Amino acid sequence: MVLDINHRNMIARRAAREIYPGMAVNLGIGIPELVADFLPTEWNVMFHSVNGILGVGPTPTKGEEDVHLFNAGGAPVTIHSGASFFDSSIAYGMVRKGKLDVAFLGALQVSRKGDLANWIVPGQRVYGIGGGVELARYAKKVIVLMSHLNERDEPKICRECTLPLTAKSCVDMIITERAVIEVTEGGLYLAEVMYPFTLEEVITKTDAPLIISENLQMYD
């Protein structure tokens, strides 16, 4: 399922609520790139990119892009005052040392145990696994931002991943256009349902058991 910009922005806006002032955060390719647009600049959140930037800012206005500033996915970015630049070995060193508070990643599938598959569909062209393995394993918190269904309208939240794994038991939270789901030792905990979807629509389109919060929230 291909999400329109309104749904993508809704996911990014909800994801931004998981960030607090002073955090170091990595934004993966796709929907995660939008998260920076929904944070107050005075929070001094340092966005990290594995191509060698700490201090990535919001998406530049169209026509005002700097051809020398782009993230790991090749998309143009801005930078905050105090940003720093370094080579990829330093960038990955920050990840492996556990310096990132949160990593927002896209996904092809997430299992009920928090296993992540996000780097390849067998038989399709792939440009490389990138920093997904390190980010999934070493970030203090891993939050997946993705569509609830794939292009064939099949659930991307599964009992078991059928695609090659990026990392096992690494995902802490899943945010889609339909729901906010926390990955716990007891299973997948449904915390919020996104407007205009219903609880039933979330359950029927999730291929894994859900534990329904007693304080289930409707997020608009």
Side-chain angles (χ1 to χ4, degrees), residues 108-130:
L108 298 169
Q109 291 178 335
V110 179
S111 80
R112 72 186 191 281
K113 298 178 182 178
D115 300 334
L116 173 67
N118 77 342
W119 76 281
I120 189 172
V121 176
Q124 294 189 15
R125 183 177 181 181
V126 63
Y127 294 97
I129 196 167

Side-chain angles (χ1 to χ4, degrees), residues 15-184:
R17 290 170 51 189
E18 300 301 315
I19 300 175
Y20 301 97
M23 278 187 166
V25 178
N26 183 279
L27 301 179
I29 297 171
I31 297 173
E33 294 174 320
L34 301 174
V35 174
D37 296 341
F38 297 98
L39 286 179
T41 55
E42 64 270 17
W43 277 21
N44 194 32
V45 173
M46 300 300 285
F47 286 107
H48 171 275
S49 183
V50 293
N51 65 323
I53 308 175
L54 186 66
V56 176
T59 304
T61 303
K62 189 172 183 179
E64 297 184 5
E65 301 90 343
D66 185 329
V67 296
H68 301 291
L69 294 177
F70 51 88
N71 61 22
V77 297
T78 60
I79 57 170
H80 287 302
S81 176
S84 57
F85 302 91
F86 32 82
D87 64 21
S88 58
S89 65
I90 299 296
Y92 279 98
M94 292 177 180
V95 177
R96 293 166 184 162
K97 280 290 188 179
K99 300 298 184 181
L100 297 182
D101 295 296
V102 186
F104 292 95
L105 303 174
L108 298 169
Q109 291 178 335
V110 179
S111 80
R112 72 186 191 281
K113 298 178 182 178
D115 300 334
L116 173 67
N118 77 342
W119 76 281
I120 189 172
V121 176
Q124 294 189 15
R125 183 177 181 181
V126 63
Y127 294 97
I129 196 167
V133 170
E134 284 86 355
L135 291 166
R137 181 53 56 203
Y138 296 112
K140 295 174 184 175
K141 186 173 185 178
V142 175
I143 301 177
V144 164
L145 310 182
M146 66 177 187
S147 59
H148 210 90
L149 307 174
N150 64 21
E151 293 179 352
R152 298 180 298 279
D153 285 336
E154 299 166 338
K156 294 170 67 173
I157 303 172
C158 315
R159 292 176 181 269
E160 302 289 343
C161 293
T162 57
L163 296 172
L165 293 184
T166 305
K168 290 186 175 182
S169 303
C170 62
V171 178
D172 297 291
M173 177 180 283
I174 307 164
I175 303 176
T176 74
E177 80 284 2
R178 291 175 182 248
V180 177
I181 299 171
E182 298 172 10
V183 182
T184 72

Side-chain angles (χ1 to χ4, degrees), residues 7 9-15 17 148 174-181 190-199 201-202 216-220:
H7 279 128
N9 281 331
M10 181 179 68
I11 294 171
R13 185 183 301 109
R14 174 57 185 84
R17 290 170 51 189
H148 210 90
I174 307 164
I175 303 176
T176 74
E177 80 284 2
R178 291 175 182 248
V180 177
I181 299 171
L190 178 61
E192 300 175 27
V193 173
M194 299 290 207
Y195 178 84
F197 296 99
T198 65
L199 175 59
E201 288 174 319
V202 172
L216 185 67
Q217 298 182 40
M218 301 296 292
Y219 181 75
D220 186 354

